[in-house]
Amino acid sequence: MNVTFDCAKCQHSARVEFDDSTEALACPHCHVEYQVPAGAIQVDSVTRCLVCPSSDLFVRKDFSQRLGVTIVVVGLALSTVTWYYYQIYWTYGILMATALADFAAYFLVGENLTCYRCNAQYRGGVNIDRHGSFDLTIHERYRQQTARLASKA
């Protein structure tokens, strides 16, 4: 299994491999260590975040949102050009190809586990389905907490 996170000290993105016996994660850039909480890893499954003290995790598709939006925007832009020139079959063909690309990406791409608080992403674990999907209420709670802490600083 591996985790991708932004180091709190050096602000670099880091990817670190871990297993059931891992006691600490070290940033490969600045070598700061994050102690793994007891019971956070159980039989190839993550029960809480290894980077921050949060136990709120959610399952999401392991696909770049920017790439997905770019595919849809390019398909829409190309279809409007063909629509302008009254190429109806090309227009619907482009829209259908865009929809099929999105559909294929949804089924071919795996899932990862993401922390609401620090956005650490866990890949390669099993039993991630026991965590729920994205919940806006939990996300908003962490967003508001971050905003309050930033306003006090």
Short mmCIF file of all heavy atoms in Angstrom, two decimals, residues 77-127:
data_model
loop_
_atom_site.label_atom_id
_atom_site.label_comp_id
_atom_site.label_asym_id
_atom_site.label_seq_id
_atom_site.Cartn_x
_atom_site.Cartn_y
_atom_site.Cartn_z
N ALA A 77 -16.81 21.81 -26.82
CA ALA A 77 -16.32 22.84 -27.76
C ALA A 77 -16.32 22.32 -29.20
O ALA A 77 -16.76 23.02 -30.12
CB ALA A 77 -14.93 23.29 -27.34
N LEU A 78 -15.84 21.10 -29.40
CA LEU A 78 -15.83 20.54 -30.75
C LEU A 78 -17.24 20.34 -31.29
O LEU A 78 -17.51 20.59 -32.47
CB LEU A 78 -15.07 19.21 -30.76
CG LEU A 78 -13.56 19.29 -30.57
CD1 LEU A 78 -12.97 17.90 -30.47
CD2 LEU A 78 -12.91 20.09 -31.69
N SER A 79 -18.15 19.93 -30.42
CA SER A 79 -19.52 19.70 -30.89
C SER A 79 -20.21 21.02 -31.24
O SER A 79 -21.04 21.05 -32.16
CB SER A 79 -20.32 18.94 -29.84
OG SER A 79 -20.55 19.72 -28.70
N THR A 80 -19.89 22.11 -30.54
CA THR A 80 -20.51 23.39 -30.90
C THR A 80 -20.00 23.90 -32.25
O THR A 80 -20.75 24.53 -32.99
CB THR A 80 -20.26 24.46 -29.82
OG1 THR A 80 -18.87 24.62 -29.61
CG2 THR A 80 -20.94 24.11 -28.52
N VAL A 81 -18.73 23.60 -32.57
CA VAL A 81 -18.20 24.00 -33.87
C VAL A 81 -18.91 23.23 -34.98
O VAL A 81 -19.34 23.83 -35.98
CB VAL A 81 -16.67 23.77 -33.93
CG1 VAL A 81 -16.15 23.95 -35.35
CG2 VAL A 81 -15.95 24.71 -32.98
N THR A 82 -19.06 21.93 -34.80
CA THR A 82 -19.74 21.15 -35.84
C THR A 82 -21.23 21.49 -35.91
O THR A 82 -21.82 21.45 -36.98
CB THR A 82 -19.55 19.64 -35.59
OG1 THR A 82 -20.01 19.31 -34.28
CG2 THR A 82 -18.11 19.23 -35.75
N TRP A 83 -21.83 21.85 -34.80
CA TRP A 83 -23.23 22.27 -34.80
C TRP A 83 -23.39 23.57 -35.58
O TRP A 83 -24.37 23.76 -36.32
CB TRP A 83 -23.71 22.44 -33.36
CG TRP A 83 -25.17 22.78 -33.24
CD1 TRP A 83 -25.71 24.02 -33.05
CD2 TRP A 83 -26.27 21.88 -33.31
NE1 TRP A 83 -27.07 23.95 -33.00
CE2 TRP A 83 -27.45 22.63 -33.14
CE3 TRP A 83 -26.38 20.51 -33.49
CZ2 TRP A 83 -28.70 22.06 -33.16
CZ3 TRP A 83 -27.63 19.95 -33.49
CH2 TRP A 83 -28.78 20.72 -33.34
N TYR A 84 -22.44 24.49 -35.41
CA TYR A 84 -22.47 25.76 -36.13
C TYR A 84 -22.47 25.54 -37.64
O TYR A 84 -23.13 26.25 -38.39
CB TYR A 84 -21.28 26.62 -35.71
CG TYR A 84 -21.20 27.93 -36.44
CD1 TYR A 84 -22.01 29.00 -36.08
CD2 TYR A 84 -20.32 28.10 -37.51
CE1 TYR A 84 -21.94 30.21 -36.76
CE2 TYR A 84 -20.24 29.30 -38.19
CZ TYR A 84 -21.06 30.35 -37.82
OH TYR A 84 -20.99 31.54 -38.49
N TYR A 85 -21.71 24.54 -38.09
CA TYR A 85 -21.63 24.25 -39.52
C TYR A 85 -22.68 23.23 -39.98
O TYR A 85 -22.55 22.66 -41.06
CB TYR A 85 -20.22 23.76 -39.88
CG TYR A 85 -19.21 24.86 -39.83
CD1 TYR A 85 -18.25 24.89 -38.83
CD2 TYR A 85 -19.21 25.89 -40.76
CE1 TYR A 85 -17.31 25.90 -38.76
CE2 TYR A 85 -18.28 26.92 -40.71
CZ TYR A 85 -17.34 26.91 -39.70
OH TYR A 85 -16.42 27.93 -39.65
N TYR A 86 -23.70 23.00 -39.17
CA TYR A 86 -24.81 22.11 -39.50
C TYR A 86 -24.37 20.68 -39.79
O TYR A 86 -24.97 19.99 -40.61
CB TYR A 86 -25.63 22.66 -40.70
CG TYR A 86 -26.22 24.01 -40.42
CD1 TYR A 86 -25.70 25.15 -40.99
CD2 TYR A 86 -27.31 24.14 -39.56
CE1 TYR A 86 -26.23 26.40 -40.73
CE2 TYR A 86 -27.86 25.38 -39.30
CZ TYR A 86 -27.30 26.51 -39.88
OH TYR A 86 -27.84 27.75 -39.62
N GLN A 87 -23.32 20.23 -39.12
CA GLN A 87 -22.85 18.85 -39.23
C GLN A 87 -23.45 18.07 -38.06
O GLN A 87 -22.77 17.75 -37.09
CB GLN A 87 -21.32 18.80 -39.21
CG GLN A 87 -20.66 19.58 -40.31
CD GLN A 87 -20.95 18.97 -41.66
OE1 GLN A 87 -21.00 17.75 -41.80
NE2 GLN A 87 -21.16 19.83 -42.65
N ILE A 88 -24.73 17.75 -38.18
CA ILE A 88 -25.46 17.16 -37.06
C ILE A 88 -24.90 15.80 -36.66
O ILE A 88 -24.74 15.51 -35.47
CB ILE A 88 -26.97 17.06 -37.40
CG1 ILE A 88 -27.52 18.47 -37.57
CG2 ILE A 88 -27.72 16.30 -36.34
CD1 ILE A 88 -28.92 18.53 -38.11
N TYR A 89 -24.59 14.96 -37.63
CA TYR A 89 -24.07 13.63 -37.30
C TYR A 89 -22.71 13.72 -36.61
O TYR A 89 -22.43 12.97 -35.68
CB TYR A 89 -23.99 12.75 -38.56
CG TYR A 89 -25.35 12.45 -39.12
CD1 TYR A 89 -25.72 12.88 -40.39
CD2 TYR A 89 -26.29 11.73 -38.38
CE1 TYR A 89 -26.97 12.61 -40.91
CE2 TYR A 89 -27.54 11.45 -38.88
CZ TYR A 89 -27.87 11.90 -40.15
OH TYR A 89 -29.12 11.62 -40.64
N TRP A 90 -21.86 14.64 -37.05
CA TRP A 90 -20.56 14.84 -36.39
C TRP A 90 -20.76 15.37 -34.97
O TRP A 90 -20.06 14.99 -34.03
CB TRP A 90 -19.68 15.81 -37.18
CG TRP A 90 -18.96 15.15 -38.30
CD1 TRP A 90 -19.26 15.22 -39.63
CD2 TRP A 90 -17.83 14.30 -38.20
NE1 TRP A 90 -18.39 14.47 -40.37
CE2 TRP A 90 -17.50 13.89 -39.50
CE3 TRP A 90 -17.07 13.83 -37.14
CZ2 TRP A 90 -16.43 13.05 -39.77
CZ3 TRP A 90 -16.00 12.99 -37.40
CH2 TRP A 90 -15.70 12.61 -38.69
N THR A 91 -21.72 16.25 -34.81
CA THR A 91 -22.00 16.81 -33.48
C THR A 91 -22.40 15.71 -32.51
O THR A 91 -21.82 15.59 -31.42
CB THR A 91 -23.13 17.85 -33.56
OG1 THR A 91 -22.74 18.89 -34.45
CG2 THR A 91 -23.44 18.43 -32.20
N TYR A 92 -23.37 14.90 -32.90
CA TYR A 92 -23.81 13.82 -32.01
C TYR A 92 -22.73 12.76 -31.83
O TYR A 92 -22.61 12.15 -30.78
CB TYR A 92 -25.12 13.21 -32.50
CG TYR A 92 -26.29 14.15 -32.30
CD1 TYR A 92 -27.09 14.53 -33.36
CD2 TYR A 92 -26.57 14.64 -31.04
CE1 TYR A 92 -28.16 15.39 -33.18
CE2 TYR A 92 -27.64 15.50 -30.85
CZ TYR A 92 -28.43 15.87 -31.92
OH TYR A 92 -29.48 16.72 -31.72
N GLY A 93 -21.94 12.54 -32.88
CA GLY A 93 -20.83 11.58 -32.77
C GLY A 93 -19.79 12.04 -31.76
O GLY A 93 -19.29 11.24 -30.96
N ILE A 94 -19.46 13.32 -31.78
CA ILE A 94 -18.49 13.87 -30.82
C ILE A 94 -19.05 13.80 -29.40
O ILE A 94 -18.35 13.40 -28.46
CB ILE A 94 -18.11 15.32 -31.19
CG1 ILE A 94 -17.28 15.32 -32.47
CG2 ILE A 94 -17.37 16.00 -30.05
CD1 ILE A 94 -17.06 16.69 -33.07
N LEU A 95 -20.33 14.16 -29.24
CA LEU A 95 -20.94 14.09 -27.91
C LEU A 95 -20.99 12.64 -27.41
O LEU A 95 -20.74 12.38 -26.22
CB LEU A 95 -22.33 14.71 -27.93
CG LEU A 95 -22.37 16.23 -28.10
CD1 LEU A 95 -23.81 16.69 -28.26
CD2 LEU A 95 -21.71 16.92 -26.93
N MET A 96 -21.30 11.71 -28.30
CA MET A 96 -21.35 10.30 -27.91
C MET A 96 -19.96 9.79 -27.56
O MET A 96 -19.78 9.04 -26.59
CB MET A 96 -21.96 9.46 -29.03
CG MET A 96 -22.21 8.03 -28.65
SD MET A 96 -23.35 7.83 -27.27
CE MET A 96 -24.86 8.34 -28.02
N ALA A 97 -18.94 10.18 -28.32
CA ALA A 97 -17.56 9.75 -28.03
C ALA A 97 -17.10 10.32 -26.68
O ALA A 97 -16.42 9.62 -25.91
CB ALA A 97 -16.63 10.21 -29.14
N THR A 98 -17.49 11.54 -26.39
CA THR A 98 -17.14 12.13 -25.11
C THR A 98 -17.81 11.36 -23.97
O THR A 98 -17.18 11.07 -22.95
CB THR A 98 -17.57 13.61 -25.07
OG1 THR A 98 -16.94 14.30 -26.15
CG2 THR A 98 -17.18 14.27 -23.77
N ALA A 99 -19.07 11.04 -24.13
CA ALA A 99 -19.79 10.29 -23.11
C ALA A 99 -19.19 8.89 -22.94
O ALA A 99 -19.04 8.41 -21.81
CB ALA A 99 -21.27 10.19 -23.46
N LEU A 100 -18.81 8.24 -24.04
CA LEU A 100 -18.19 6.91 -23.95
C LEU A 100 -16.83 6.97 -23.28
O LEU A 100 -16.48 6.07 -22.50
CB LEU A 100 -18.08 6.29 -25.35
CG LEU A 100 -19.37 5.78 -25.95
CD1 LEU A 100 -19.16 5.32 -27.39
CD2 LEU A 100 -19.95 4.65 -25.11
N ALA A 101 -16.04 8.01 -23.54
CA ALA A 101 -14.74 8.17 -22.88
C ALA A 101 -14.93 8.34 -21.38
O ALA A 101 -14.20 7.74 -20.57
CB ALA A 101 -13.99 9.36 -23.47
N ASP A 102 -15.91 9.13 -20.99
CA ASP A 102 -16.21 9.34 -19.58
C ASP A 102 -16.70 8.04 -18.93
O ASP A 102 -16.28 7.68 -17.83
CB ASP A 102 -17.25 10.44 -19.43
CG ASP A 102 -17.49 10.82 -17.98
OD1 ASP A 102 -16.50 10.99 -17.24
OD2 ASP A 102 -18.67 10.97 -17.60
N PHE A 103 -17.56 7.32 -19.62
CA PHE A 103 -18.09 6.06 -19.14
C PHE A 103 -16.98 5.02 -18.97
O PHE A 103 -16.91 4.32 -17.96
CB PHE A 103 -19.15 5.56 -20.13
CG PHE A 103 -19.93 4.37 -19.68
CD1 PHE A 103 -20.88 4.50 -18.69
CD2 PHE A 103 -19.72 3.13 -20.26
CE1 PHE A 103 -21.62 3.41 -18.27
CE2 PHE A 103 -20.45 2.03 -19.85
CZ PHE A 103 -21.40 2.17 -18.86
N ALA A 104 -16.08 4.93 -19.94
CA ALA A 104 -14.96 3.98 -19.88
C ALA A 104 -14.02 4.33 -18.73
O ALA A 104 -13.56 3.45 -18.00
CB ALA A 104 -14.20 3.97 -21.20
N ALA A 105 -13.73 5.61 -18.56
CA ALA A 105 -12.85 6.03 -17.47
C ALA A 105 -13.45 5.67 -16.12
O ALA A 105 -12.74 5.24 -15.21
CB ALA A 105 -12.58 7.53 -17.55
N TYR A 106 -14.75 5.82 -15.98
CA TYR A 106 -15.41 5.51 -14.72
C TYR A 106 -15.24 4.04 -14.35
O TYR A 106 -15.00 3.70 -13.19
CB TYR A 106 -16.90 5.86 -14.80
CG TYR A 106 -17.65 5.56 -13.52
CD1 TYR A 106 -17.58 6.43 -12.45
CD2 TYR A 106 -18.40 4.40 -13.39
CE1 TYR A 106 -18.24 6.16 -11.27
CE2 TYR A 106 -19.07 4.12 -12.22
CZ TYR A 106 -18.99 5.00 -11.16
OH TYR A 106 -19.65 4.72 -9.99
N PHE A 107 -15.35 3.14 -15.32
CA PHE A 107 -15.27 1.71 -15.03
C PHE A 107 -13.85 1.16 -15.03
O PHE A 107 -13.58 0.14 -14.41
CB PHE A 107 -16.15 0.92 -15.99
CG PHE A 107 -17.59 1.03 -15.64
CD1 PHE A 107 -18.44 1.82 -16.39
CD2 PHE A 107 -18.11 0.37 -14.54
CE1 PHE A 107 -19.78 1.94 -16.06
CE2 PHE A 107 -19.44 0.49 -14.19
CZ PHE A 107 -20.27 1.27 -14.95
N LEU A 108 -12.92 1.82 -15.72
CA LEU A 108 -11.56 1.31 -15.80
C LEU A 108 -10.65 1.81 -14.68
O LEU A 108 -9.67 1.15 -14.33
CB LEU A 108 -10.94 1.66 -17.15
CG LEU A 108 -11.60 1.01 -18.37
CD1 LEU A 108 -10.96 1.51 -19.65
CD2 LEU A 108 -11.50 -0.50 -18.28
N VAL A 109 -10.97 2.96 -14.12
CA VAL A 109 -10.11 3.56 -13.10
C VAL A 109 -10.48 3.00 -11.73
O VAL A 109 -11.66 2.82 -11.41
CB VAL A 109 -10.28 5.10 -13.12
CG1 VAL A 109 -9.55 5.75 -11.97
CG2 VAL A 109 -9.79 5.65 -14.44
N GLY A 110 -9.46 2.74 -10.92
CA GLY A 110 -9.69 2.21 -9.58
C GLY A 110 -10.13 3.29 -8.60
O GLY A 110 -10.43 4.42 -8.98
N GLU A 111 -10.13 2.92 -7.32
CA GLU A 111 -10.55 3.85 -6.28
C GLU A 111 -9.41 4.06 -5.29
O GLU A 111 -8.51 3.24 -5.18
CB GLU A 111 -11.77 3.29 -5.55
CG GLU A 111 -12.99 3.20 -6.41
CD GLU A 111 -14.18 2.60 -5.70
OE1 GLU A 111 -13.97 1.77 -4.79
OE2 GLU A 111 -15.31 2.97 -6.05
N ASN A 112 -9.46 5.17 -4.58
CA ASN A 112 -8.53 5.42 -3.50
C ASN A 112 -9.29 5.91 -2.28
O ASN A 112 -10.46 6.24 -2.35
CB ASN A 112 -7.40 6.37 -3.91
CG ASN A 112 -7.83 7.80 -4.08
OD1 ASN A 112 -8.79 8.27 -3.48
ND2 ASN A 112 -7.12 8.54 -4.90
N LEU A 113 -8.60 5.94 -1.17
CA LEU A 113 -9.16 6.40 0.09
C LEU A 113 -8.54 7.75 0.37
O LEU A 113 -7.32 7.91 0.29
CB LEU A 113 -8.80 5.39 1.18
CG LEU A 113 -9.58 5.39 2.46
CD1 LEU A 113 -11.06 5.18 2.21
CD2 LEU A 113 -9.06 4.28 3.37
N THR A 114 -9.35 8.77 0.68
CA THR A 114 -8.85 10.12 0.87
C THR A 114 -9.28 10.65 2.23
O THR A 114 -10.40 10.42 2.67
CB THR A 114 -9.40 11.05 -0.24
OG1 THR A 114 -9.04 10.51 -1.51
CG2 THR A 114 -8.85 12.45 -0.13
N CYS A 115 -8.37 11.38 2.87
CA CYS A 115 -8.64 11.98 4.17
C CYS A 115 -9.31 13.34 3.97
O CYS A 115 -8.87 14.14 3.15
CB CYS A 115 -7.34 12.15 4.95
SG CYS A 115 -7.52 13.01 6.52
N TYR A 116 -10.39 13.60 4.71
CA TYR A 116 -11.07 14.89 4.62
C TYR A 116 -10.17 16.03 5.09
O TYR A 116 -10.20 17.12 4.54
CB TYR A 116 -12.33 14.90 5.50
CG TYR A 116 -13.52 14.20 4.90
CD1 TYR A 116 -13.88 12.93 5.32
CD2 TYR A 116 -14.31 14.83 3.96
CE1 TYR A 116 -14.98 12.30 4.81
CE2 TYR A 116 -15.43 14.20 3.43
CZ TYR A 116 -15.75 12.94 3.86
OH TYR A 116 -16.86 12.31 3.34
N ARG A 117 -9.39 15.80 6.13
CA ARG A 117 -8.64 16.88 6.77
C ARG A 117 -7.39 17.28 5.99
O ARG A 117 -7.17 18.45 5.72
CB ARG A 117 -8.26 16.46 8.18
CG ARG A 117 -7.58 17.55 8.96
CD ARG A 117 -7.44 17.18 10.42
NE ARG A 117 -6.88 18.28 11.16
CZ ARG A 117 -5.88 18.14 11.99
NH1 ARG A 117 -5.35 16.95 12.19
NH2 ARG A 117 -5.41 19.18 12.63
N CYS A 118 -6.54 16.31 5.64
CA CYS A 118 -5.25 16.65 5.01
C CYS A 118 -5.15 16.22 3.56
O CYS A 118 -4.13 16.44 2.92
CB CYS A 118 -4.10 16.04 5.81
SG CYS A 118 -4.03 14.24 5.74
N ASN A 119 -6.19 15.61 3.01
CA ASN A 119 -6.24 15.15 1.62
C ASN A 119 -5.20 14.09 1.28
O ASN A 119 -4.81 13.95 0.12
CB ASN A 119 -6.15 16.32 0.63
CG ASN A 119 -7.36 17.19 0.69
OD1 ASN A 119 -8.48 16.70 0.82
ND2 ASN A 119 -7.17 18.49 0.63
N ALA A 120 -4.71 13.35 2.27
CA ALA A 120 -3.82 12.24 2.00
C ALA A 120 -4.59 11.17 1.24
O ALA A 120 -5.76 10.91 1.53
CB ALA A 120 -3.27 11.67 3.30
N GLN A 121 -3.94 10.57 0.23
CA GLN A 121 -4.61 9.58 -0.60
C GLN A 121 -3.93 8.22 -0.43
O GLN A 121 -2.73 8.09 -0.62
CB GLN A 121 -4.56 10.00 -2.07
CG GLN A 121 -5.30 11.28 -2.31
CD GLN A 121 -5.21 11.73 -3.76
OE1 GLN A 121 -4.44 11.19 -4.54
NE2 GLN A 121 -6.02 12.70 -4.12
N TYR A 122 -4.73 7.21 -0.10
CA TYR A 122 -4.24 5.86 0.15
C TYR A 122 -4.62 4.96 -1.01
O TYR A 122 -5.78 4.89 -1.39
CB TYR A 122 -4.84 5.32 1.46
CG TYR A 122 -4.46 6.17 2.64
CD1 TYR A 122 -5.27 7.23 3.03
CD2 TYR A 122 -3.30 5.92 3.34
CE1 TYR A 122 -4.92 8.04 4.10
CE2 TYR A 122 -2.94 6.72 4.42
CZ TYR A 122 -3.75 7.77 4.79
OH TYR A 122 -3.39 8.56 5.84
N ARG A 123 -3.62 4.26 -1.55
CA ARG A 123 -3.85 3.37 -2.69
C ARG A 123 -3.33 1.97 -2.37
O ARG A 123 -2.35 1.82 -1.66
CB ARG A 123 -3.13 3.90 -3.93
CG ARG A 123 -3.69 5.19 -4.43
CD ARG A 123 -2.88 5.72 -5.62
NE ARG A 123 -3.44 6.96 -6.08
CZ ARG A 123 -3.09 8.16 -5.61
NH1 ARG A 123 -2.19 8.26 -4.67
NH2 ARG A 123 -3.66 9.25 -6.09
N GLY A 124 -3.98 0.98 -2.95
CA GLY A 124 -3.52 -0.39 -2.83
C GLY A 124 -4.06 -1.14 -1.63
O GLY A 124 -3.69 -2.28 -1.41
N GLY A 125 -4.91 -0.53 -0.85
CA GLY A 125 -5.48 -1.20 0.31
C GLY A 125 -6.71 -2.01 -0.05
O GLY A 125 -7.29 -1.86 -1.12
N VAL A 126 -7.06 -2.89 0.84
CA VAL A 126 -8.29 -3.67 0.65
C VAL A 126 -9.31 -3.19 1.66
O VAL A 126 -8.99 -2.46 2.60
CB VAL A 126 -8.03 -5.18 0.82
CG1 VAL A 126 -7.13 -5.68 -0.27
CG2 VAL A 126 -7.41 -5.49 2.18
N ASN A 127 -10.54 -3.57 1.48
CA ASN A 127 -11.65 -3.20 2.37
C ASN A 127 -11.85 -1.68 2.48
O ASN A 127 -12.19 -1.19 3.55
CB ASN A 127 -11.44 -3.79 3.77
CG ASN A 127 -11.45 -5.29 3.76
OD1 ASN A 127 -12.13 -5.89 2.96
ND2 ASN A 127 -10.68 -5.88 4.65
#
